Amino acid sequence: YMGNGGSLIGDPSPGSNTMVQRTPQAVGAGCNTERDWRCIFFILNCEIITFNAVLHNKIVNLDWSVLCKQEADHFAIERSLDGVNFTEIQSITGRYIINEIEDYSTIDNISGIGKDIIFYRLKTVLKNGKTNSSNILTIKYTDSKTQNINIYPNPVKDMIQFSIQSKKTGIAKVYIFNSIGSMVKSYDQKLNTGLNSFLWNGASLLPSGAYYLKVDLGDQILTSRFDVIK
């Protein structure tokens, strides 16, 4: 019987005897009664809004933003040299803030890694033990100083990665056009000196077909085509 204030003991006459959902994940997660909405495993999550990387002088600057509906315990940065086997290289403590977009960042020194391609993945670990992993972010090392843009995978189904080699720090204007020249998306993207890689999940909302990415750097406009398949 539920008493005043949601207690488990009280006068049964004004209360009710109600079957409530049991969540096995609540055990050991501070949910003694399993009646707190914060303990419902499948409702609560921590959405990864952005996950970006910038490579410059063998230092990878990683930043991400999340919107969590429950306190995040920590974020694990995972690195791979083959895109299959990932190893946790850093753990970043989460802040005790929910329902607000929070930004995080860290760096990874890859000067001792003799590989031209490095893969990163971000794992979110919530207080209730639930985890969520980002899509894989790929860094392709190059000595080129020429500003250019690469898109992969191409063709794409849902998540796509843009990589831009930039000579300076600034805000780029990003535009996406369909095959008949109609703009379907535009937004600002911060770029830093070096190789910038960022994920965009908007491709999942686009119909199949050919599209063009245009990035206005101020002193140069870069354009590249990509195809969406369903």
Side-chain angles (χ1 to χ4, degrees):
Y1 295 100
M2 180 177 286
N4 294 333
S7 65
L8 292 177
I9 55 175
D11 183 0
S13 57
S16 62
N17 190 352
T18 305
M19 181 71 70
V20 296
Q21 183 175 12
R22 179 172 179 81
T23 56
Q25 293 81 6
V27 178
C31 306
N32 296 327
T33 66
E34 300 190 53
R35 291 157 61 153
D36 190 330
W37 67 268
R38 292 169 297 177
C39 301
I40 300 178
F41 182 76
F42 63 88
I43 291 181
L44 304 175
N45 59 18
C46 193
E47 181 181 0
I48 299 173
I49 307 298
T50 63
F51 182 37
N52 306 320
V54 180
L55 170 62
H56 184 58
N57 292 334
K58 293 288 188 175
I59 300 293
V60 179
N61 291 274
L62 297 154
D63 67 77
W64 62 97
S65 60
V66 294
L67 176 60
C68 297
K69 297 179 181 179
Q70 180 175 291
E71 294 176 5
D73 184 76
H74 67 276
F75 300 93
I77 298 294
E78 300 177 326
R79 185 175 63 198
S80 172
L81 302 182
D82 59 9
V84 177
N85 302 296
F86 284 82
T87 301
E88 181 177 330
I89 59 171
Q90 290 188 41
S91 178
I92 309 298
T93 302
R95 305 187 190 104
Y96 301 137
I97 298 176
I98 60 174
N99 295 325
E100 293 183 17
I101 295 179
E102 284 289 297
D103 298 318
Y104 295 83
S105 64
T106 189
I107 63 172
D108 182 30
N109 188 333
I110 61 170
S111 58
I113 299 177
K115 293 286 186 177
D116 293 335
I117 302 179
I118 299 176
F119 306 88
Y120 290 96
R121 190 170 61 188
L122 174 68
K123 178 187 288 185
T124 302
V125 181
L126 297 180
K127 289 289 187 180
N128 65 356
K130 180 181 179 181
T131 64
N132 181 37
S133 294
S134 71
N135 285 70
I136 296 173
L137 194 60
T138 306
I139 293 291
K140 294 185 176 181
Y141 177 74
T142 175
D143 288 325
S144 174
K145 302 301 181 182
T146 303
Q147 294 188 133
N148 56 66
I149 183 170
N150 291 294
I151 302 175
Y152 46 93
N154 193 4
V156 62
K157 290 185 178 181
D158 45 25
M159 184 73 69
I160 192 169
Q161 178 176 323
F162 303 142
S163 293
I164 300 174
Q165 185 74 37
S166 180
K167 296 185 296 186
K168 60 182 181 180
T169 296
I171 301 296
K173 297 288 186 180
V174 179
Y175 306 93
I176 297 175
F177 298 89
N178 61 20
S179 59
I180 62 174
S182 298
M183 186 173 65
V184 297
K185 179 68 176 179
S186 66
Y187 63 95
D188 293 341
Q189 176 66 45
K190 181 182 179 181
L191 298 180
N192 291 300
T193 302
L195 178 62
N196 297 257
S197 296
F198 49 96
L199 296 170
W200 184 65
N201 60 4
S204 62
L205 303 177
L206 299 178
S208 297
Y211 295 85
Y212 294 88
L213 172 70
K214 183 173 78 171
V215 180
D216 188 346
L217 301 171
D219 58 352
Q220 185 180 4
I221 294 179
L222 306 175
T223 304
S224 186
R225 169 180 164 160
F226 66 94
D227 295 293
V228 174
I229 60 173
K230 300 298 184 181

Coordinates of all heavy atoms in Angstrom, one line a residue, residues 141-187:
Y141 N 45.1 10.3 -41.3 CA 46.2 11.2 -41.2 C 46.7 11.5 -42.6 O 46.9 10.6 -43.4 CB 47.3 10.6 -40.3 CG 48.5 11.5 -40.3 CD1 48.5 12.7 -39.5 CD2 49.7 11.2 -41.0 CE1 49.6 13.5 -39.5 CE2 50.8 12.0 -40.9 CZ 50.7 13.2 -40.2 OH 51.8 14.0 -40.1
T142 N 47.0 12.8 -42.8 CA 47.6 13.2 -44.1 C 48.5 14.4 -43.8 O 48.3 15.2 -42.9 CB 46.6 13.6 -45.1 OG1 47.2 14.1 -46.3 CG2 45.6 14.6 -44.6
D143 N 49.6 14.5 -44.6 CA 50.5 15.6 -44.5 C 50.1 16.8 -45.3 O 50.7 17.9 -45.3 CB 51.9 15.2 -44.9 CG 52.6 14.3 -43.9 OD1 52.4 14.5 -42.7 OD2 53.3 13.4 -44.3
S144 N 49.0 16.6 -46.1 CA 48.6 17.7 -47.0 C 48.1 18.9 -46.2 O 47.4 18.8 -45.2 CB 47.4 17.1 -47.9 OG 46.9 18.2 -48.7
K145 N 48.4 20.0 -46.7 CA 48.0 21.3 -46.1 C 46.9 21.9 -47.0 O 46.4 23.0 -46.6 CB 49.2 22.3 -46.0 CG 50.3 21.8 -45.2 CD 49.9 21.5 -43.7 CE 51.1 21.0 -42.9 NZ 50.7 20.6 -41.5
T146 N 46.5 21.3 -48.0 CA 45.5 21.8 -48.9 C 44.1 21.6 -48.3 O 43.8 20.5 -47.8 CB 45.5 21.1 -50.3 OG1 46.8 21.2 -50.9 CG2 44.5 21.6 -51.3
Q147 N 43.3 22.6 -48.4 CA 41.9 22.5 -47.9 C 41.1 21.6 -48.8 O 41.1 21.8 -50.0 CB 41.3 23.9 -47.8 CG 42.0 24.8 -46.7 CD 41.2 26.1 -46.5 OE1 41.0 26.4 -45.3 NE2 40.8 26.7 -47.5
N148 N 40.5 20.6 -48.2 CA 39.7 19.7 -49.0 C 38.7 19.0 -48.1 O 38.7 19.2 -46.9 CB 40.6 18.6 -49.7 CG 41.4 17.8 -48.6 OD1 40.9 17.1 -47.8 ND2 42.8 18.0 -48.7
I149 N 37.8 18.3 -48.8 CA 36.7 17.7 -48.0 C 36.5 16.2 -48.5 O 36.6 16.0 -49.7 CB 35.4 18.5 -48.2 CG1 34.3 17.8 -47.3 CG2 34.9 18.6 -49.6 CD1 33.0 18.7 -47.2
N150 N 36.3 15.3 -47.5 CA 36.0 13.9 -47.8 C 34.7 13.5 -47.1 O 34.4 14.0 -46.0 CB 37.2 13.1 -47.4 CG 38.4 13.3 -48.2 OD1 38.5 13.0 -49.4 ND2 39.5 13.8 -47.6
I151 N 34.0 12.6 -47.8 CA 32.8 12.1 -47.2 C 32.8 10.6 -47.2 O 33.1 10.0 -48.3 CB 31.6 12.6 -48.1 CG1 31.5 14.1 -48.1 CG2 30.3 12.0 -47.5 CD1 30.4 14.6 -49.1
Y152 N 32.5 10.0 -46.1 CA 32.4 8.5 -46.0 C 31.6 8.1 -44.9 O 31.5 8.8 -43.9 CB 33.9 7.9 -46.0 CG 34.8 8.5 -45.0 CD1 34.9 8.0 -43.7 CD2 35.6 9.6 -45.4 CE1 35.8 8.6 -42.8 CE2 36.5 10.1 -44.5 CZ 36.6 9.6 -43.2 OH 37.4 10.2 -42.3
P153 N 30.9 6.9 -45.0 CA 30.9 6.1 -46.2 C 30.1 6.8 -47.3 O 29.3 7.6 -47.0 CB 30.2 4.8 -45.7 CG 29.3 5.3 -44.6 CD 30.1 6.4 -43.9
N154 N 30.3 6.4 -48.5 CA 29.6 6.9 -49.6 C 29.5 5.8 -50.7 O 30.5 5.4 -51.2 CB 30.4 8.1 -50.2 CG 29.6 8.9 -51.2 OD1 28.4 8.6 -51.4 ND2 30.2 9.9 -51.8
P155 N 28.2 5.3 -50.9 CA 26.9 5.9 -50.5 C 26.7 5.6 -49.0 O 27.4 4.8 -48.3 CB 25.9 5.1 -51.3 CG 26.6 3.8 -51.7 CD 28.1 4.2 -51.8
V156 N 25.7 6.3 -48.5 CA 25.4 6.3 -47.0 C 23.9 5.9 -46.8 O 23.0 6.2 -47.7 CB 25.7 7.6 -46.4 CG1 24.8 8.7 -47.0 CG2 25.5 7.6 -44.9
K157 N 23.6 5.3 -45.7 CA 22.2 5.0 -45.3 C 21.7 5.9 -44.2 O 20.6 6.3 -44.3 CB 22.1 3.5 -44.9 CG 22.3 2.5 -46.0 CD 22.1 1.1 -45.4 CE 22.2 0.1 -46.6 NZ 22.0 -1.3 -46.1
D158 N 22.5 6.1 -43.2 CA 22.0 7.0 -42.1 C 23.0 7.9 -41.6 O 22.9 9.1 -41.8 CB 21.5 6.1 -40.9 CG 22.4 5.0 -40.6 OD1 23.6 5.1 -40.9 OD2 21.9 4.0 -40.0
M159 N 24.1 7.4 -41.0 CA 25.1 8.3 -40.4 C 26.2 8.5 -41.4 O 26.7 7.6 -42.0 CB 25.7 7.7 -39.1 CG 26.7 8.6 -38.4 SD 26.0 10.0 -37.6 CE 25.1 9.2 -36.2
I160 N 26.7 9.8 -41.6 CA 27.7 10.1 -42.5 C 28.8 10.9 -41.8 O 28.5 11.7 -40.9 CB 27.1 10.8 -43.7 CG1 28.2 10.9 -44.9 CG2 26.6 12.2 -43.4 CD1 27.6 11.4 -46.2
Q161 N 30.0 10.8 -42.3 CA 31.1 11.6 -41.7 C 31.7 12.5 -42.7 O 32.0 12.1 -43.8 CB 32.2 10.6 -41.1 CG 33.4 11.4 -40.6 CD 34.4 10.5 -39.9 OE1 34.1 9.5 -39.3 NE2 35.7 10.8 -40.1
F162 N 31.9 13.8 -42.3 CA 32.5 14.7 -43.2 C 33.9 15.0 -42.6 O 34.1 15.2 -41.4 CB 31.8 16.1 -43.2 CG 30.3 15.9 -43.7 CD1 29.3 16.7 -43.1 CD2 30.0 15.1 -44.7 CE1 28.0 16.6 -43.5 CE2 28.7 15.0 -45.1 CZ 27.7 15.7 -44.6
S163 N 34.9 15.0 -43.4 CA 36.3 15.4 -43.0 C 36.8 16.5 -43.8 O 36.8 16.5 -45.0 CB 37.2 14.2 -43.1 OG 36.9 13.2 -42.2
I164 N 37.2 17.6 -43.1 CA 37.7 18.8 -43.8 C 39.0 19.2 -43.3 O 39.3 19.3 -42.1 CB 36.7 20.0 -43.6 CG1 35.3 19.6 -44.1 CG2 37.2 21.2 -44.2 CD1 34.2 20.6 -43.8
Q165 N 39.9 19.4 -44.2 CA 41.3 19.9 -43.9 C 41.2 21.4 -44.0 O 40.9 22.0 -45.0 CB 42.3 19.3 -44.9 CG 43.7 19.7 -44.6 CD 44.3 18.9 -43.4 OE1 44.0 17.8 -43.3 NE2 45.1 19.6 -42.6
S166 N 41.4 22.0 -42.8 CA 41.3 23.5 -42.7 C 42.6 24.1 -42.3 O 43.4 23.6 -41.5 CB 40.2 23.9 -41.7 OG 40.1 25.3 -41.6
K167 N 42.9 25.2 -43.0 CA 44.2 26.0 -42.7 C 44.0 26.9 -41.5 O 45.0 27.5 -41.0 CB 44.6 26.8 -43.9 CG 44.9 25.9 -45.1 CD 45.5 26.7 -46.3 CE 44.4 27.7 -46.8 NZ 44.9 28.4 -48.1
K168 N 42.8 27.1 -41.0 CA 42.6 28.1 -40.0 C 41.4 27.7 -39.1 O 40.6 26.9 -39.5 CB 42.5 29.5 -40.5 CG 41.3 29.7 -41.5 CD 41.2 31.1 -42.0 CE 40.0 31.2 -42.9 NZ 39.9 32.6 -43.5
T169 N 41.3 28.4 -38.0 CA 40.1 28.2 -37.1 C 39.1 29.2 -37.5 O 39.3 30.4 -37.8 CB 40.5 28.4 -35.7 OG1 41.5 27.4 -35.3 CG2 39.3 28.4 -34.7
G170 N 37.8 28.8 -37.5 CA 36.7 29.7 -37.9 C 35.4 28.9 -37.9 O 35.3 27.7 -37.6
I171 N 34.4 29.6 -38.4 CA 33.1 29.0 -38.5 C 32.8 28.8 -40.0 O 32.8 29.8 -40.8 CB 32.0 29.9 -37.9 CG1 32.3 30.1 -36.4 CG2 30.6 29.2 -38.1 CD1 32.2 28.8 -35.6
A172 N 32.5 27.6 -40.4 CA 32.2 27.3 -41.8 C 30.6 27.2 -42.0 O 29.9 26.8 -41.1 CB 32.8 26.0 -42.3
K173 N 30.2 27.6 -43.1 CA 28.8 27.5 -43.5 C 28.6 26.2 -44.2 O 29.3 26.0 -45.3 CB 28.3 28.6 -44.3 CG 28.3 30.0 -43.6 CD 27.3 30.1 -42.5 CE 27.2 31.5 -42.0 NZ 26.2 31.7 -40.9
V174 N 27.8 25.3 -43.7 CA 27.6 24.0 -44.4 C 26.2 23.9 -45.0 O 25.2 24.3 -44.4 CB 27.7 22.8 -43.4 CG1 27.5 21.5 -44.0 CG2 29.1 22.9 -42.7
Y175 N 26.2 23.5 -46.3 CA 24.9 23.4 -47.0 C 24.8 22.0 -47.7 O 25.8 21.5 -48.2 CB 24.8 24.5 -48.1 CG 25.0 25.9 -47.7 CD1 26.3 26.5 -47.7 CD2 24.0 26.7 -47.2 CE1 26.5 27.8 -47.3 CE2 24.1 28.0 -46.8 CZ 25.4 28.5 -46.8 OH 25.6 29.8 -46.4
I176 N 23.6 21.5 -47.7 CA 23.4 20.2 -48.4 C 22.2 20.5 -49.4 O 21.2 20.9 -49.0 CB 23.0 19.1 -47.4 CG1 24.2 18.9 -46.5 CG2 22.6 17.8 -48.1 CD1 24.0 17.9 -45.4
F177 N 22.5 20.1 -50.6 CA 21.6 20.3 -51.7 C 21.2 18.9 -52.3 O 22.0 18.0 -52.4 CB 22.1 21.2 -52.8 CG 22.5 22.6 -52.4 CD1 23.7 22.9 -51.9 CD2 21.5 23.6 -52.5 CE1 24.0 24.2 -51.5 CE2 21.8 24.9 -52.1 CZ 23.1 25.2 -51.6
N178 N 20.0 18.8 -52.8 CA 19.6 17.6 -53.5 C 20.0 17.7 -55.0 O 20.6 18.7 -55.4 CB 18.1 17.3 -53.4 CG 17.2 18.4 -53.9 OD1 17.6 19.2 -54.7 ND2 16.0 18.4 -53.5
S179 N 19.6 16.7 -55.8 CA 20.1 16.7 -57.2 C 19.5 17.7 -58.1 O 20.1 18.0 -59.1 CB 19.8 15.3 -57.8 OG 18.4 15.0 -57.7
I180 N 18.4 18.3 -57.7 CA 17.8 19.4 -58.5 C 18.2 20.8 -58.0 O 17.6 21.8 -58.4 CB 16.3 19.2 -58.6 CG1 15.6 19.4 -57.2 CG2 15.9 17.9 -59.2 CD1 14.1 19.4 -57.2
G181 N 19.1 20.9 -57.0 CA 19.6 22.1 -56.5 C 18.8 22.8 -55.3 O 19.1 23.9 -54.9
S182 N 17.9 22.0 -54.8 CA 17.1 22.6 -53.6 C 17.9 22.3 -52.3 O 18.4 21.2 -52.1 CB 15.7 21.9 -53.5 OG 15.0 22.2 -54.7
M183 N 18.0 23.3 -51.5 CA 18.8 23.1 -50.2 C 17.9 22.4 -49.2 O 16.7 22.8 -49.0 CB 19.2 24.5 -49.7 CG 20.1 24.4 -48.4 SD 20.7 26.0 -47.9 CE 19.2 26.8 -47.4
V184 N 18.4 21.3 -48.7 CA 17.7 20.5 -47.7 C 18.2 20.7 -46.3 O 17.5 20.3 -45.3 CB 17.7 19.0 -48.1 CG1 17.0 18.8 -49.4 CG2 19.1 18.5 -48.1
K185 N 19.4 21.3 -46.1 CA 19.9 21.5 -44.8 C 21.0 22.6 -44.8 O 21.8 22.6 -45.8 CB 20.5 20.2 -44.3 CG 21.2 20.3 -42.9 CD 20.1 20.5 -41.8 CE 20.8 20.5 -40.4 NZ 19.8 20.8 -39.4
S186 N 21.1 23.4 -43.8 CA 22.2 24.3 -43.7 C 22.5 24.6 -42.2 O 21.5 24.6 -41.4 CB 21.9 25.7 -44.3 OG 20.8 26.3 -43.7
Y187 N 23.7 24.7 -41.8 CA 24.1 24.9 -40.4 C 25.5 25.4 -40.3 O 26.3 25.3 -41.3 CB 23.9 23.7 -39.6 CG 24.7 22.5 -39.9 CD1 25.9 22.3 -39.3 CD2 24.4 21.6 -40.9 CE1 26.8 21.2 -39.6 CE2 25.2 20.5 -41.2 CZ 26.3 20.3 -40.6 OH 27.1 19.2 -40.9

